[in-house]
Amino acid sequence: MTTKQSKQIKPGSTLGILGGGQLGRMIALAGRAMGYRFVTMDPTVDAPCGQTADKQIVASYDDVEAAMQLASVSDVISYEFENVDAQVAEVLESHAYVPQGSRLLRITQNRISEKTAIREIGIPVAPFRVVGSLQDLQAAVAELGLPAVMKTATGGYDGKGQWVLRSEDELAEAYETLAKAGTELIVEQFVPFQMELSVIAARNPDGELAVFPAAENIHRENILHLSIVPARVPAEVKTRAEEIARTIVEKLDVVGLIAVEMFLTADGQLYVNELAPRPHNSGHYTMDACVTSQFEQHVRAVCNLPLGSTELLSPVVMVNILGEHLQPVLDQIDKLPRTAKLHLYGKAESKAKRKMGHINVLAPTVEEALTHIDELKIWTNPSEV
C-alpha cells in the first residue's frame, strides 16, 4: 500500500527533526554524509542533535509556534523519539510534509492503543487489562495471575513507569505509586521469556520495505546493556521475528523506521512487547556491521529514496555506555579492540544510568566480541563479582 503523501526529497534538501537527542544526532550525521541539511527542535540548549544540525530551535515539544518555524525551513519533517507532542505533529501535517504522520505516533505513545492495535492485526501480545482503580487492579490480577506487570499507559522508558507485581500485598502500594502519574494504567500477564529480541524495519512512502537482522538484547536494571547479532536463536525464530516486524510495518502503514521488541518463550513462542516508531538503541549495531545503518535507512525512508541493503557484514555486539561507564571507557580507550567502534553522544552532563554513548565490537563470532567486552572489566556487574 502506498501512503497518501508520496514525494521524493533529494539530497540538498533540509530535514526538520522534532527532538534533539542522540537518535537525531546520528540521523543528522548519516544524512549530512548524503548531502542533506538539518534543523532540529529541542528544549535543551546545545542538544546532541543540535551539535550536528545546521540549526537548533530551542523550544518545548508542545510549542506550536516553534514547530511552525521548523516547518518553514524544512522540506520534510521527522521525529527522533515518540514522546514528542502528537498534537504538534498533527498540526504540522497540515502545514508541512510529515511522511511518518501523527497516527502511528499516537498509537505508540499509549500502551493500551499500541497493544490493542498489535492484537487486532493478529500478532500475539501478553494478555492485558486496563485498570482505573485498586479494585480494577485486584480483579485484573485475579484473572491474569501473578507475577504480572503494571505500567503507566503513557510515558515511561528504561523501566520507569512500571512495577512487577509479585504478591497481592504490594498491590495497594504499586497502584498508589503509579497512579501519581495521572495517566491510565495497564496490567499485563507476565511472560516467562527466555530471551528478548528486536527487529528494526523500514518502509518508504512508495511502499518499499526492508528488515534488519534480529538482535538478541540483554538488559540490566531495565536498561539495554547488550545487543548481540546474529541473535543466538534457531534460524526459524529469526525468520519468524522478522516476519512479525514486516507484518506490523505493512498493516500499520509505517513510514520511516519502527523497532519491534519481542519476548521469546521456552516453547519458541514470540510475543510483541513494545513498538518504537523511530531508530532504536538495539539497532545501533547497524552503524558498523551492516551495509546500511538504521540512521541512513531512516533518512532514505522518510525522503522516499530506494532503501539500502540491510545485509550483515560481520558478527557484532553493541554495548551501551551509561554515565558510570563513560570515564572508565575514556581511561581505557587505548585498550579497546581494534575492531571496536566508539560512538559518544555529546551530552553535557554525565549521570548514572544515562545513555552517554555505545561501542560496537565487531569480531569473527559474537562470543569473541563478548570476550573482548568482558576483558575491559568496565561493565562488570557487581552481583557477578
Side-chain angles (χ1 to χ4, degrees):
M1 185 168 95
T2 301
T3 58
K4 293 178 182 178
Q5 291 185 324
S6 179
K7 61 180 179 179
Q8 193 172 74
I9 308 298
K10 294 187 176 180
S13 303
T14 298
L15 275 71
I17 300 182
L18 286 168
Q22 64 261 26
L23 299 177
R25 175 191 184 92
M26 290 181 277
I27 291 171
L29 287 170
R32 290 179 77 90
M34 300 167 68
Y36 289 96
R37 293 182 175 274
F38 286 85
V39 179
T40 186
M41 177 177 139
D42 192 274
T44 303
V45 175
D46 195 38
C49 184
Q51 297 167 17
T52 57
D54 296 270
K55 178 181 179 181
Q56 178 182 341
I57 298 169
V58 180
S60 63
Y61 302 127
D62 60 357
D63 190 328
V64 175
E65 184 177 339
M68 294 304 292
Q69 182 185 347
L70 180 71
S72 71
V73 295
S74 302
D75 297 297
V76 59
I77 291 179
S78 178
Y79 46 81
E80 61 106 29
F81 78 136
E82 64 268 33
N83 288 328
V84 299
D85 194 286
Q87 186 64 40
V88 167
E90 186 174 344
V91 169
L92 284 173
E93 281 185 279
S94 60
H95 294 86
Y97 182 44
V98 190
Q100 289 166 281
S102 60
R103 174 178 170 269
L104 186 60
L105 194 59
R106 286 189 182 279
I107 290 172
T108 56
Q109 282 180 343
N110 186 295
R111 288 188 171 97
I112 299 167
S113 60
E114 178 180 83
K115 290 186 179 294
T116 301
I118 297 167
R119 186 175 61 185
E120 286 178 348
I121 60 177
I123 302 296
V125 296
F128 66 92
R129 300 291 181 268
V130 179
V131 297
S133 66
L134 178 57
Q135 291 72 30
D136 286 347
L137 174 57
Q138 292 167 334
V141 165
E143 186 177 357
L144 298 175
L146 290 174
V149 185
M150 182 165 62
K151 302 176 181 179
T152 56
T154 58
Y157 61 94
D158 289 344
K160 298 177 177 65
Q162 60 181 270
W163 190 302
V164 179
L165 305 167
R166 302 190 185 279
S167 73
E168 293 186 7
D169 295 340
E170 61 185 314
L171 298 188
E173 180 187 0
Y175 181 80
E176 182 181 351
T177 300
L178 292 190
K180 291 177 181 176
T183 179
E184 291 181 292
L185 301 177
I186 182 174
V187 177
E188 303 171 12
Q189 189 176 81
F190 185 82
V191 176
F193 62 91
Q194 282 200 326
M195 185 182 292
E196 295 182 60
L197 300 172
S198 63
V199 176
I200 313 289
R203 183 170 173 270
N204 66 19
D206 280 347
E208 184 186 0
L209 197 154
V211 178
F212 286 97
E216 171 190 345
N217 299 319
I218 296 174
H219 290 75
R220 285 186 179 173
E221 298 181 59
N222 295 307
I223 301 173
L224 182 63
H225 172 49
L226 300 171
S227 288
I228 300 168
V229 185
R232 296 170 294 182
V233 295
E236 59 267 24
V237 172
K238 296 178 194 175
T239 299
R240 191 153 20 97
E242 291 161 15
E243 287 174 350
I244 286 172
R246 185 180 297 271
T247 298
I248 287 172
V249 166
E250 291 175 337
K251 297 292 187 181
L252 296 185
D253 201 20
V254 172
V255 169
L257 256 60
I258 193 165
V260 183
E261 298 180 65
M262 301 172 232
F263 293 138
L264 174 65
T265 61
D267 61 355
Q269 299 300 307
L270 286 169
Y271 294 86
V272 171
N273 180 39
E274 288 185 347
L275 304 178
R278 52 164 172 80
H280 193 258
N281 196 174
S282 67
H284 291 352
Y285 78 87
T286 64
M287 297 174 74
D288 302 299
C290 289
V291 172
T292 308
S293 76
Q294 66 167 341
F295 300 104
E296 179 185 338
Q297 196 78 296
H298 181 79
V299 173
R300 285 173 172 262
V302 298
C303 292
N304 206 20
L305 299 180
L307 299 181
S309 167
T310 58
E311 179 187 355
L312 185 70
L313 299 175
S314 168
V316 59
V317 175
M318 188 283 302
V319 57
N320 265 331
I321 300 171
L322 304 183
E324 60 267 36
H325 307 135
L326 180 58
Q327 193 58 50
V329 165
L330 295 177
D331 289 344
Q332 296 196 55
I333 198 165
D334 291 343
K335 297 181 181 179
L336 294 179
R338 296 294 187 238
T339 56
K341 303 295 184 177
L342 174 64
H343 301 271
L344 296 180
Y345 303 152
K347 294 182 179 179
E349 187 177 0
S350 178
K351 298 179 182 178
K353 310 308 174 192
R354 189 184 194 192
K355 294 172 183 172
M356 303 301 294
H358 67 273
I359 296 175
N360 288 330
V361 179
L362 284 67
T365 66
V366 295
E367 287 75 19
E368 188 173 330
L370 288 166
T371 298
H372 287 318
I373 292 168
D374 288 342
E375 287 172 347
L376 293 169
K377 303 297 183 185
I378 293 170
W379 292 273
T380 301
N381 190 336
S383 65
E384 299 171 350
V385 175

